[in-house]
Coordinates of all heavy atoms in Angstrom, one line a residue:
M8 N -40.0 -35.4 -4.5 CA -39.2 -34.6 -5.3 C -38.7 -35.4 -6.5 O -38.2 -36.5 -6.4 CB -37.9 -34.2 -4.5 CG -37.0 -33.3 -5.3 SD -35.5 -32.8 -4.4 CE -36.1 -32.2 -2.9
D9 N -39.0 -34.9 -7.7 CA -38.6 -35.6 -8.9 C -37.2 -35.3 -9.3 O -36.5 -34.5 -8.6 CB -39.6 -35.3 -10.1 CG -39.5 -33.8 -10.5 OD1 -38.6 -33.1 -10.1 OD2 -40.3 -33.4 -11.3
E10 N -36.7 -35.9 -10.3 CA -35.3 -35.8 -10.7 C -34.9 -34.4 -11.1 O -33.8 -33.9 -10.8 CB -35.0 -36.7 -11.9 CG -33.5 -36.8 -12.3 CD -32.6 -37.4 -11.2 OE1 -33.1 -38.2 -10.4 OE2 -31.5 -37.0 -11.1
K11 N -35.8 -33.6 -11.8 CA -35.6 -32.3 -12.2 C -35.4 -31.3 -11.0 O -34.5 -30.5 -10.9 CB -36.7 -31.8 -13.1 CG -36.4 -30.5 -13.8 CD -37.5 -30.2 -14.8 CE -37.2 -28.9 -15.5 NZ -38.3 -28.5 -16.4
Q12 N -36.3 -31.5 -10.0 CA -36.2 -30.7 -8.8 C -34.9 -31.0 -8.0 O -34.3 -30.1 -7.5 CB -37.4 -30.9 -7.9 CG -38.7 -30.3 -8.4 CD -39.9 -30.7 -7.6 OE1 -39.9 -31.8 -7.1 NE2 -40.7 -29.8 -7.4
A13 N -34.5 -32.2 -8.0 CA -33.3 -32.6 -7.3 C -32.1 -32.0 -8.0 O -31.1 -31.5 -7.3 CB -33.1 -34.1 -7.3
N14 N -32.1 -31.9 -9.3 CA -30.9 -31.3 -10.1 C -30.9 -29.8 -9.8 O -29.8 -29.3 -9.6 CB -31.1 -31.5 -11.6 CG -30.7 -32.9 -12.0 OD1 -30.0 -33.6 -11.2 ND2 -31.2 -33.4 -13.1
V15 N -32.0 -29.1 -9.7 CA -32.1 -27.7 -9.4 C -31.5 -27.5 -8.0 O -30.7 -26.6 -7.8 CB -33.5 -27.2 -9.6 CG1 -33.6 -25.8 -9.0 CG2 -33.9 -27.2 -11.0
K16 N -31.9 -28.3 -7.1 CA -31.4 -28.1 -5.7 C -29.9 -28.4 -5.6 O -29.2 -27.6 -4.9 CB -32.2 -29.1 -4.8 CG -32.1 -28.8 -3.4 CD -33.1 -29.5 -2.6 CE -33.2 -28.9 -1.2 NZ -34.3 -29.4 -0.4
R17 N -29.4 -29.4 -6.3 CA -28.0 -29.6 -6.3 C -27.2 -28.4 -6.9 O -26.2 -28.0 -6.3 CB -27.6 -30.9 -7.1 CG -27.8 -32.1 -6.4 CD -27.3 -33.3 -7.2 NE -28.2 -34.4 -6.9 CZ -28.9 -35.0 -7.8 NH1 -28.9 -34.7 -9.1 NH2 -29.7 -36.0 -7.5
R18 N -27.7 -27.8 -8.0 CA -27.1 -26.7 -8.6 C -27.1 -25.5 -7.6 O -26.1 -24.8 -7.5 CB -27.8 -26.3 -9.9 CG -27.5 -27.2 -11.0 CD -28.0 -26.7 -12.3 NE -28.0 -27.8 -13.3 CZ -28.9 -28.0 -14.2 NH1 -30.0 -27.3 -14.2 NH2 -28.8 -29.0 -15.0
L19 N -28.2 -25.3 -6.9 CA -28.3 -24.2 -6.0 C -27.3 -24.4 -4.9 O -26.6 -23.4 -4.5 CB -29.7 -24.1 -5.4 CG -30.1 -22.9 -4.6 CD1 -29.9 -21.7 -5.4 CD2 -31.5 -23.0 -4.1
I20 N -27.1 -25.6 -4.4 CA -26.1 -25.8 -3.3 C -24.7 -25.6 -3.8 O -23.9 -25.0 -3.1 CB -26.3 -27.3 -2.8 CG1 -27.6 -27.4 -2.0 CG2 -25.1 -27.7 -1.9 CD1 -28.0 -28.8 -1.6
L21 N -24.5 -26.0 -5.0 CA -23.1 -25.9 -5.6 C -22.8 -24.4 -5.8 O -21.7 -23.9 -5.5 CB -23.1 -26.6 -7.0 CG -21.7 -26.5 -7.7 CD1 -20.6 -27.2 -6.9 CD2 -21.8 -27.2 -9.1
V22 N -23.8 -23.6 -6.3 CA -23.5 -22.2 -6.6 C -23.3 -21.5 -5.2 O -22.4 -20.6 -5.1 CB -24.7 -21.6 -7.3 CG1 -24.7 -20.1 -7.3 CG2 -24.8 -22.1 -8.8
R23 N -24.1 -21.8 -4.2 CA -23.9 -21.1 -2.9 C -22.6 -21.5 -2.3 O -21.9 -20.7 -1.7 CB -25.0 -21.6 -2.0 CG -26.3 -20.9 -2.3 CD -27.4 -21.3 -1.3 NE -28.7 -20.6 -1.7 CZ -29.8 -20.9 -1.3 NH1 -30.0 -22.0 -0.5 NH2 -30.9 -20.3 -1.6
G24 N -22.1 -22.7 -2.5 CA -20.8 -23.2 -2.0 C -19.7 -22.4 -2.7 O -18.7 -22.0 -2.0
L25 N -19.8 -22.3 -4.0 CA -18.8 -21.5 -4.7 C -18.7 -20.1 -4.3 O -17.7 -19.5 -4.2 CB -19.0 -21.6 -6.2 CG -18.8 -23.0 -6.9 CD1 -19.2 -23.0 -8.3 CD2 -17.3 -23.4 -6.7
G26 N -19.9 -19.5 -4.1 CA -19.9 -18.1 -3.6 C -19.3 -18.0 -2.2 O -18.5 -17.0 -2.0
L27 N -19.5 -18.9 -1.3 CA -18.9 -18.9 0.0 C -17.4 -19.0 -0.1 O -16.6 -18.3 0.5 CB -19.5 -20.0 0.9 CG -19.0 -20.0 2.3 CD1 -19.3 -18.8 3.0 CD2 -19.6 -21.2 3.0
A28 N -16.9 -20.0 -1.0 CA -15.5 -20.2 -1.2 C -14.8 -18.9 -1.7 O -13.7 -18.5 -1.3 CB -15.2 -21.4 -2.0
G29 N -15.5 -18.3 -2.7 CA -15.0 -17.1 -3.3 C -14.8 -16.0 -2.3 O -13.8 -15.2 -2.2
G30 N -15.8 -15.8 -1.4 CA -15.8 -14.8 -0.4 C -14.6 -15.1 0.6 O -13.9 -14.1 1.0
C31 N -14.4 -16.3 0.9 CA -13.2 -16.7 1.8 C -11.9 -16.3 1.2 O -11.0 -15.7 1.8 CB -13.3 -18.1 2.2 SG -14.6 -18.6 3.3
L32 N -11.8 -16.6 -0.1 CA -10.5 -16.3 -0.8 C -10.3 -14.8 -0.9 O -9.2 -14.3 -0.7 CB -10.6 -16.8 -2.2 CG -10.4 -18.3 -2.3 CD1 -10.6 -18.8 -3.8 CD2 -9.1 -18.8 -1.8
M33 N -11.4 -14.0 -1.0 CA -11.3 -12.5 -1.1 C -10.8 -12.0 0.3 O -10.0 -11.1 0.4 CB -12.6 -11.9 -1.4 CG -12.9 -12.0 -2.9 SD -14.5 -11.4 -3.4 CE -14.4 -9.7 -2.9
C34 N -11.3 -12.6 1.4 CA -10.9 -12.2 2.7 C -9.4 -12.5 3.0 O -8.7 -11.7 3.5 CB -11.7 -12.9 3.8 SG -13.4 -12.4 3.9
I35 N -9.0 -13.7 2.5 CA -7.6 -14.0 2.7 C -6.7 -13.1 1.9 O -5.7 -12.6 2.4 CB -7.3 -15.5 2.3 CG1 -8.0 -16.4 3.3 CG2 -5.9 -15.8 2.1 CD1 -8.1 -17.9 2.8
G36 N -7.1 -12.7 0.7 CA -6.4 -11.8 -0.2 C -6.3 -10.4 0.5 O -5.2 -9.8 0.5
A37 N -7.4 -10.0 1.0 CA -7.4 -8.6 1.7 C -6.5 -8.6 2.9 O -5.7 -7.7 3.1 CB -8.8 -8.3 2.1
R38 N -6.4 -9.7 3.6 CA -5.6 -9.8 4.8 C -4.1 -9.7 4.4 O -3.3 -9.0 5.0 CB -5.9 -11.1 5.6 CG -5.1 -11.1 6.9 CD -5.3 -12.4 7.7 NE -6.7 -12.5 8.0 CZ -7.2 -13.6 8.5 NH1 -6.5 -14.6 8.7 NH2 -8.5 -13.6 8.8
N39 N -3.7 -10.5 3.3 CA -2.4 -10.5 2.9 C -2.0 -9.1 2.3 O -0.9 -8.7 2.5 CB -2.2 -11.5 1.8 CG -2.1 -12.9 2.4 OD1 -1.9 -13.0 3.6 ND2 -2.4 -13.9 1.6
A40 N -2.9 -8.4 1.7 CA -2.6 -7.1 1.1 C -2.3 -6.1 2.2 O -1.5 -5.2 2.0 CB -3.8 -6.6 0.3
T41 N -2.9 -6.3 3.4 CA -2.7 -5.3 4.5 C -1.5 -5.7 5.3 O -1.1 -5.0 6.2 CB -3.9 -5.2 5.3 OG1 -4.3 -6.4 5.9 CG2 -5.1 -4.6 4.6
A42 N -0.9 -6.9 5.1 CA 0.2 -7.4 5.9 C 1.4 -6.6 5.6 O 2.3 -6.5 6.5 CB 0.4 -8.8 5.6
A43 N 1.6 -6.0 4.5 CA 2.8 -5.2 4.2 C 2.8 -3.9 5.0 O 1.8 -3.3 5.1 CB 2.8 -4.9 2.7
K44 N 3.9 -3.6 5.6 CA 4.1 -2.4 6.4 C 4.7 -1.3 5.6 O 5.4 -1.5 4.6 CB 4.9 -2.7 7.6 CG 4.2 -3.7 8.6 CD 4.9 -3.8 9.9 CE 4.2 -4.8 10.8 NZ 4.9 -4.9 12.1
T45 N 4.5 -0.1 6.1 CA 5.0 1.1 5.4 C 6.2 1.7 6.2 O 6.3 1.5 7.4 CB 3.9 2.2 5.4 OG1 2.7 1.6 4.8 CG2 4.3 3.4 4.6
S46 N 7.1 2.3 5.5 CA 8.3 2.9 6.2 C 7.9 4.0 7.2 O 6.9 4.7 7.0 CB 9.3 3.4 5.2 OG 8.8 4.6 4.6
K47 N 8.7 4.2 8.1 CA 8.5 5.3 9.1 C 8.5 6.7 8.3 O 7.7 7.5 8.6 CB 9.6 5.3 10.1 CG 9.5 4.2 11.1 CD 10.7 4.2 12.1 CE 10.5 3.0 13.1 NZ 11.6 3.0 14.1
A48 N 9.4 6.8 7.4 CA 9.5 8.1 6.7 C 8.2 8.4 5.9 O 7.8 9.6 5.9 CB 10.7 8.1 5.8
A49 N 7.7 7.4 5.3 CA 6.5 7.6 4.5 C 5.3 8.1 5.3 O 4.4 8.8 4.8 CB 6.1 6.3 3.7
L50 N 5.3 7.7 6.6 CA 4.1 8.1 7.4 C 4.6 9.2 8.4 O 3.9 9.4 9.4 CB 3.5 6.9 8.1 CG 2.8 5.9 7.2 CD1 2.4 4.7 7.9 CD2 1.7 6.6 6.4
L51 N 5.7 9.8 8.2 CA 6.2 11.0 9.0 C 6.3 10.6 10.5 O 6.0 11.4 11.4 CB 5.3 12.2 8.8 CG 5.1 12.6 7.4 CD1 4.1 13.9 7.3 CD2 6.4 12.9 6.7
Y52 N 6.7 9.3 10.7 CA 6.9 8.9 12.1 C 7.9 9.7 12.8 O 8.9 10.1 12.3 CB 7.4 7.4 12.1 CG 7.7 6.9 13.5 CD1 6.7 6.4 14.3 CD2 9.0 6.9 13.9 CE1 7.0 5.9 15.6 CE2 9.3 6.4 15.2 CZ 8.3 5.9 16.0 OH 8.7 5.5 17.2
Q53 N 7.6 10.0 14.1 CA 8.6 10.8 14.9 C 8.6 10.1 16.3 O 7.7 9.4 16.7 CB 8.1 12.2 15.1 CG 6.7 12.4 15.7 CD 6.3 13.9 15.6 OE1 6.5 14.6 14.6 NE2 5.6 14.3 16.7
E54 N 9.7 10.4 17.0 CA 9.9 9.7 18.3 C 9.3 10.4 19.5 O 9.5 10.1 20.6 CB 11.4 9.5 18.6 CG 12.1 8.6 17.6 CD 11.9 7.1 17.9 OE1 11.6 6.8 19.0 OE2 12.0 6.3 17.0
R55 N 8.4 11.3 19.2 CA 7.7 12.1 20.3 C 6.2 12.3 20.0 O 5.8 12.1 18.8 CB 8.4 13.5 20.5 CG 8.3 14.3 19.2 CD 9.1 15.6 19.4 NE 8.9 16.5 18.2 CZ 9.4 16.3 17.0 NH1 10.2 15.2 16.8 NH2 9.2 17.1 16.0
P56 N 5.4 12.5 21.0 CA 4.0 12.7 20.7 C 3.7 13.9 19.8 O 4.5 14.8 19.6 CB 3.4 12.9 22.1 CG 4.4 12.4 23.1 CD 5.7 12.6 22.4
H57 N 2.5 13.9 19.3 CA 2.0 15.0 18.4 C 0.6 15.4 19.0 O -0.3 14.7 18.9 CB 1.9 14.6 17.0 CG 1.3 15.6 16.1 ND1 2.0 16.6 15.6 CD2 0.1 15.7 15.5 CE1 1.3 17.3 14.8 NE2 0.1 16.8 14.8
D58 N 0.5 16.7 19.4 CA -0.7 17.2 20.0 C -1.3 16.2 21.0 O -2.6 16.0 21.0 CB -1.7 17.4 18.9 CG -1.4 18.6 18.0 OD1 -0.6 19.5 18.5 OD2 -1.9 18.7 16.9
G59 N -0.5 15.6 21.9 CA -1.0 14.7 22.9 C -1.3 13.3 22.4 O -1.7 12.5 23.2
K60 N -1.1 13.1 21.1 CA -1.3 11.7 20.6 C 0.0 11.0 20.5 O 1.0 11.5 20.1 CB -1.9 11.8 19.2 CG -3.2 12.5 19.1 CD -3.7 12.8 17.7 CE -4.9 13.6 17.7 NZ -5.1 14.4 16.5
R61 N -0.1 9.7 21.0 CA 1.1 8.9 21.0 C 0.8 7.5 20.7 O -0.3 7.0 20.8 CB 1.8 9.0 22.4 CG 1.0 8.5 23.5 CD 1.5 8.8 24.9 NE 0.7 8.1 25.9 CZ 1.2 7.2 26.7 NH1 2.5 7.0 26.8 NH2 0.4 6.7 27.6
C62 N 1.8 6.7 20.2 CA 1.6 5.3 19.8 C 1.0 4.5 20.8 O 0.1 3.6 20.5 CB 3.0 4.7 19.4 SG 3.7 5.5 17.9
A63 N 1.3 4.7 22.1 CA 0.7 3.8 23.1 C -0.8 3.9 23.2 O -1.5 3.0 23.6 CB 1.3 4.2 24.5
D64 N -1.4 5.0 22.6 CA -2.8 5.2 22.6 C -3.4 4.9 21.2 O -4.6 5.1 21.0 CB -3.2 6.6 23.0 CG -2.7 7.0 24.4 OD1 -2.7 6.1 25.3 OD2 -2.2 8.1 24.6
C65 N -2.6 4.3 20.3 CA -3.1 4.0 19.0 C -3.5 2.6 18.9 O -2.8 1.7 19.4 CB -1.9 4.3 18.0 SG -2.3 3.9 16.3
R66 N -4.5 2.3 18.1 CA -5.0 0.9 17.9 C -4.0 0.0 17.2 O -4.1 -1.2 17.2 CB -6.4 0.9 17.3 CG -6.3 1.2 15.8 CD -7.7 1.1 15.1 NE -8.6 2.1 15.7 CZ -9.7 2.4 15.1 NH1 -10.1 1.7 14.1 NH2 -10.5 3.3 15.7
H67 N -3.1 0.6 16.5 CA -2.1 -0.2 15.7 C -0.9 -0.6 16.5 O -0.1 -1.4 16.1 CB -1.6 0.6 14.5 CG -2.7 1.0 13.5 ND1 -3.5 0.1 12.9 CD2 -3.2 2.2 13.2 CE1 -4.4 0.7 12.2 NE2 -4.3 2.0 12.3
F68 N -0.7 0.0 17.7 CA 0.5 -0.3 18.5 C 0.4 -1.6 19.2 O -0.7 -1.9 19.8 CB 0.7 0.8 19.5 CG 1.9 0.7 20.4 CD1 3.2 0.9 19.8 CD2 1.8 0.3 21.7 CE1 4.3 0.7 20.6 CE2 2.9 0.2 22.5 CZ 4.2 0.4 21.9
V69 N 1.4 -2.4 19.2 CA 1.5 -3.7 19.9 C 2.7 -3.6 20.8 O 3.9 -3.6 20.4 CB 1.7 -4.9 18.9 CG1 1.7 -6.2 19.7 CG2 0.6 -4.9 17.9
A70 N 2.5 -3.5 22.1 CA 3.5 -3.4 23.1 C 4.4 -4.6 23.1 O 3.9 -5.8 23.1 CB 3.0 -3.1 24.5
A71 N 5.7 -4.4 23.3 CA 6.6 -5.6 23.4 C 6.4 -6.2 24.8 O 6.2 -5.5 25.8 CB 8.0 -5.1 23.2
A72 N 6.5 -7.5 24.9 CA 6.3 -8.2 26.2 C 7.5 -7.9 27.2 O 7.2 -7.8 28.4 CB 6.2 -9.7 26.0
N73 N 8.7 -7.7 26.7 CA 9.8 -7.5 27.5 C 10.4 -6.1 27.6 O 11.3 -5.9 28.3 CB 10.9 -8.5 27.1 CG 11.4 -8.1 25.6 OD1 10.7 -7.4 25.0 ND2 12.4 -8.8 25.2
D74 N 9.7 -5.2 27.0 CA 10.2 -3.8 27.0 C 9.0 -2.8 27.0 O 8.3 -2.7 26.0 CB 11.1 -3.5 25.7 CG 11.7 -2.1 25.7 OD1 11.4 -1.3 26.6 OD2 12.5 -1.9 24.8
A75 N 8.9 -2.1 28.1 CA 7.7 -1.2 28.3 C 7.8 0.0 27.4 O 6.8 0.7 27.1 CB 7.6 -0.8 29.7
A76 N 9.0 0.3 26.9 CA 9.2 1.6 26.1 C 8.9 1.4 24.6 O 8.7 2.4 23.9 CB 10.6 2.1 26.3
T77 N 9.0 0.2 24.1 CA 8.9 0.0 22.7 C 7.9 -1.1 22.3 O 7.4 -1.8 23.2 CB 10.3 -0.4 22.0 OG1 10.7 -1.6 22.5 CG2 11.3 0.7 22.2
G78 N 7.6 -1.2 21.0 CA 6.8 -2.3 20.6 C 6.8 -2.3 19.1 O 7.8 -1.8 18.5
T79 N 5.8 -2.8 18.5 CA 5.7 -2.8 17.0 C 4.3 -2.2 16.6 O 3.5 -1.9 17.5 CB 5.7 -4.3 16.5 OG1 4.7 -5.0 17.0 CG2 7.1 -4.9 16.8
C80 N 4.2 -2.1 15.3 CA 3.0 -1.4 14.8 C 2.5 -2.3 13.6 O 3.2 -2.8 12.9 CB 3.4 0.0 14.3 SG 2.0 0.8 13.5
D81 N 1.2 -2.3 13.5 CA 0.5 -3.1 12.4 C 0.7 -2.4 11.1 O 0.6 -3.0 10.0 CB -1.0 -3.2 12.7 CG -1.3 -4.0 13.9 OD1 -0.5 -4.9 14.3 OD2 -2.4 -3.8 14.4
V82 N 1.1 -1.1 11.1 CA 1.1 -0.3 9.9 C 2.5 0.1 9.5 O 2.9 0.0 8.4 CB 0.3 1.0 10.1 CG1 0.4 1.9 8.9 CG2 -1.2 0.6 10.4
V83 N 3.3 0.5 10.5 CA 4.7 1.0 10.3 C 5.7 -0.1 10.6 O 5.6 -0.8 11.6 CB 4.9 2.3 11.2 CG1 6.3 2.8 11.0 CG2 3.9 3.3 10.8
D84 N 6.7 -0.1 9.7 CA 7.8 -1.1 9.9 C 8.8 -0.7 10.9 O 9.1 0.5 11.1 CB 8.5 -1.3 8.5 CG 9.3 -2.5 8.4 OD1 9.1 -3.5 9.2 OD2 10.1 -2.6 7.5
G85 N 9.4 -1.7 11.7 CA 10.4 -1.4 12.6 C 9.9 -1.2 14.0 O 8.8 -1.3 14.3
A86 N 10.9 -1.0 14.9 CA 10.6 -0.8 16.4 C 9.9 0.5 16.5 O 10.3 1.5 15.9 CB 11.9 -0.9 17.2
I87 N 8.9 0.5 17.4 CA 8.1 1.7 17.6 C 8.2 2.2 19.0 O 8.0 1.4 19.9 CB 6.6 1.5 17.2 CG1 6.5 1.0 15.7 CG2 5.8 2.7 17.5 CD1 6.9 2.1 14.7
N88 N 8.5 3.4 19.2 CA 8.5 4.0 20.6 C 7.1 4.3 21.0 O 6.3 4.9 20.3 CB 9.3 5.3 20.5 CG 9.5 5.9 21.9 OD1 8.7 5.8 22.8 ND2 10.7 6.6 22.0
R89 N 6.7 3.9 22.2 CA 5.4 4.1 22.7 C 5.0 5.6 22.8 O 3.8 5.9 22.8 CB 5.1 3.3 24.0 CG 5.8 3.8 25.2 CD 5.5 2.9 26.4 NE 4.1 2.9 26.7 CZ 3.4 1.7 26.7 NH1 4.0 0.6 26.3 NH2 2.1 1.7 27.0
E90 N 6.0 6.4 22.9 CA 5.8 7.9 22.9 C 5.9 8.5 21.5 O 5.8 9.7 21.4 CB 6.9 8.5 23.8 CG 6.8 8.1 25.3 CD 5.4 8.4 25.9 OE1 4.9 9.5 25.6 OE2 4.9 7.6 26.7
G91 N 6.0 7.7 20.5 CA 6.1 8.2 19.1 C 4.7 8.5 18.6 O 3.7 8.4 19.2
W92 N 4.8 8.9 17.3 CA 3.5 9.2 16.6 C 3.8 9.2 15.1 O 4.9 9.4 14.6 CB 3.1 10.6 17.0 CG 1.9 11.1 16.2 CD1 0.6 11.0 16.5 CD2 1.9 11.9 15.0 NE1 -0.2 11.6 15.5 CE2 0.6 12.2 14.6 CE3 3.0 12.4 14.3 CZ2 0.3 12.9 13.5 CZ3 2.7 13.2 13.1 CH2 1.3 13.4 12.8
C93 N 2.7 8.9 14.3 CA 2.8 9.1 12.8 C 1.4 9.5 12.3 O 0.4 9.5 13.1 CB 3.3 7.8 12.2 SG 2.0 6.6 11.8
I94 N 1.3 9.8 11.0 CA 0.1 10.3 10.5 C -1.0 9.3 10.4 O -2.2 9.6 10.1 CB 0.3 11.0 9.1 CG1 0.9 10.0 8.1 CG2 1.1 12.3 9.3 CD1 1.0 10.6 6.7
A95 N -0.7 8.0 10.6 CA -1.6 6.9 10.6 C -2.3 6.7 11.9 O -3.0 5.7 12.1 CB -1.0 5.6 10.1
F96 N -2.0 7.6 12.9 CA -2.5 7.4 14.3 C -4.0 7.2 14.2 O -4.7 7.9 13.5 CB -2.2 8.7 15.1 CG -2.8 8.6 16.5 CD1 -2.1 8.0 17.5 CD2 -4.0 9.2 16.7 CE1 -2.7 7.9 18.8 CE2 -4.6 9.1 18.0 CZ -3.9 8.5 19.0
A97 N -4.5 6.2 15.0 CA -5.9 5.9 15.1 C -6.2 5.6 16.6 O -5.7 4.6 17.1 CB -6.3 4.8 14.2
P98 N -6.9 6.4 17.3 CA -7.1 6.2 18.7 C -7.8 4.9 19.0 O -8.7 4.4 18.2 CB -8.0 7.4 19.1 CG -8.6 7.9 17.9 CD -7.7 7.5 16.8
R99 N -7.4 4.3 20.1 CA -8.1 3.1 20.5 C -9.5 3.4 20.9 O -9.7 4.5 21.5 CB -7.4 2.5 21.7 CG -6.0 1.9 21.5 CD -5.4 1.3 22.7 NE -4.0 1.1 22.6 CZ -3.5 0.0 22.1 NH1 -4.2 -1.0 21.9 NH2 -2.2 -0.1 22.0
I100 N -10.4 2.5 20.6 CA -11.8 2.8 21.0 C -12.1 2.4 22.4 O -11.7 1.3 22.8 CB -12.8 2.1 20.0 CG1 -12.5 2.7 18.6 CG2 -14.2 2.4 20.4 CD1 -13.3 2.0 17.5
Ligands
SF4_5 S1 0.1 3.8 13.3 FE1 1.6 5.4 13.8 S2 0.8 6.3 15.7 FE2 -0.1 4.3 15.5 S3 1.3 2.9 16.6 FE3 1.9 2.9 14.4 S4 3.5 4.4 14.3 FE4 2.4 4.8 16.2

């Protein structure tokens, strides 16, 4: 491998590395953008099920370790009743 080929190879490695770093930064930014939660009112949260759908069956619900009736939500701010519901309901797969 001559000097010219070695330079091309180094540039290729550098460009690929920068692309990978940029992709990682975009992932971190997207995660932070979704970290903000929405108010209960904005998503029409209610303390009772809707058409048989309830927070306990939603993929966004995180049950509290010490309280079987409540938990938190990845989307909605505040304490969430496992029997509640909002328009962001997404069934667990
Ligand atoms: S997204 Fe809505 S339905 Fe799902 S857990 Fe959160 S508050 Fe309940």
Side-chain angles (χ1 to χ4, degrees):
M8 180 183 308
D9 66 11
E10 187 63 30
K11 189 173 182 180
Q12 287 176 321
N14 284 340
V15 169
K16 198 165 192 168
R17 278 189 216 114
R18 284 187 194 139
L19 190 59
I20 290 170
L21 181 63
V22 167
R23 286 182 178 161
L25 289 174
L27 183 62
C31 290
L32 289 174
M33 287 175 59
C34 289
I35 291 168
R38 186 181 299 168
N39 286 340
T41 59
K44 294 186 180 185
T45 305
S46 72
K47 290 179 178 178
L50 293 176
L51 306 180
Y52 174 82
Q53 60 188 39
E54 293 283 337
R55 60 187 186 287
H57 175 79
D58 288 340
K60 297 171 187 158
R61 62 189 187 124
C62 294
D64 301 323
C65 176
R66 74 175 65 167
H67 301 298
F68 183 72
V69 180
N73 59 351
D74 184 354
T77 63
T79 59
C80 173
D81 295 335
V82 177
V83 177
D84 198 18
I87 300 297
N88 186 328
R89 67 183 305 114
E90 296 300 322
W92 173 89
C93 86
I94 60 174
F96 176 86
R99 291 180 196 269
I100 298 174

